[in-house]
Amino acid sequence: MPEPHQIDNAAAMARLRAGLQQRGLAEVPSGPVDDEPSPDEPGHPEYHRRNRAEWAVGRWETATPPRYLRARADHPDVTAWAEQVAADPTTAPALLLTGTTGTGKTHQAYGALRLIAETGPRTYEVMATTAADMYGRLRPGGTDRGTEAELGRLCRVPLLLLDDLGSAKASEWAEEITYRLINERYNRCLPSIFTSNLPARAHQDNNGRPLGPNLASVLGERIVSRLAEMTTVVAMTGADRRLQRRAV
Ligand SMILES: Nc1ncnc2c1ncn2[C@@H]1O[C@H](COP(=O)(O)OP(=O)(O)OP(=O)(O)O)[C@@H](O)[C@H]1O
Ligand SMILES: [Mg+2]
């Protein structure tokens, strides 16, 4: 029996229920009230993941040139890589997209960065540049920050896209800078995407002689052996999509 000054909850609920039933109103549920937040409400993990995704996609849009704002990665090896990075960026390899001009390397690369943003990662910071622009900024006087500070930023940014690697004949200086960048990001376990028009390794003729340039002959063996150790290579094939579009 409750003390006279205590409210008997069970009795009060029973009276309330009886009153509601008399008036033909719905019965008050007798179990605990479900006040868990729904995915649309703060407090639910999905609500916060969606907010992070929205913010990260905004960052991605800022880093992406207008031509690739509609890029969506659809190559299975590329989407698999993006999922790996989203799950654990510290163990994901780098991604190297190779293929002739217009096969969609840059499209897939920006698309992969977007996919990672859409998962709503806890941190999302990305820098995207072509190798030629990067060398331009890293040359003495190329940036107000100075070469070492600029290279430091590229070495530390959580996600990096370095487009068109090996497109210019590498000088000893460019080779050194590229090696330091690739090696430093590898040591820091930071995922990167590289694209190149050159095959990673030389195609050979019937006598075993290398056919045409390849990443090793342009960037140097040291860089390519580093890349071989740390990258998933995806060879893009097909016709030049730019020419196809013009033909339509
Ligand atoms: N999967 C795709 N869906 C729709 N458009 C695409 C797709 N892939 C590429 N494109 C479009 O085709 C054109 C060529 O693609 P992209 O620039 O990615 O080629 P690339 O391989 O990087 O060429 P390059 O070697 O000259 O840099 C671009 O305009 C791009 O937007
Ligand atoms: Mg490209």
Side-chain angles (χ1 to χ4, degrees), residues 55-103:
W55 180 84
V57 169
R59 296 292 295 228
W60 173 83
E61 283 170 353
T62 313
T64 300
R67 176 166 304 281
Y68 297 102
L69 279 174
R70 292 206 308 236
R72 300 288 180 276
D74 53 7
H75 190 295
D77 296 346
V78 176
T79 55
W81 177 83
E83 279 161 21
Q84 229 179 320
V85 173
D88 184 1
T90 62
T91 56
L95 179 69
L96 170 62
L97 296 166
T98 64
T100 50
T101 194
T103 44

Side-chain angles (χ1 to χ4, degrees), residues 179-200:
Y179 180 77
R180 280 177 63 192
L181 174 68
I182 290 176
N183 191 49
E184 188 71 22
R185 293 189 63 78
Y186 172 73
N187 289 344
R188 289 173 186 267
C189 301
L190 293 171
S192 321
I193 307 181
F194 307 104
T195 79
S196 181
N197 278 341
L198 300 170

Side-chain angles (χ1 to χ4, degrees), residues 67-68 72 74 99-108 163-164 197 240-242 245:
R67 176 166 304 281
Y68 297 102
R72 300 288 180 276
D74 53 7
T100 50
T101 194
T103 44
K105 301 176 296 293
T106 306
H107 179 100
Q108 295 295 325
D163 207 5
D164 278 336
N197 278 341
D240 182 342
R241 284 175 176 266
R242 296 188 190 100
R245 194 170 308 151

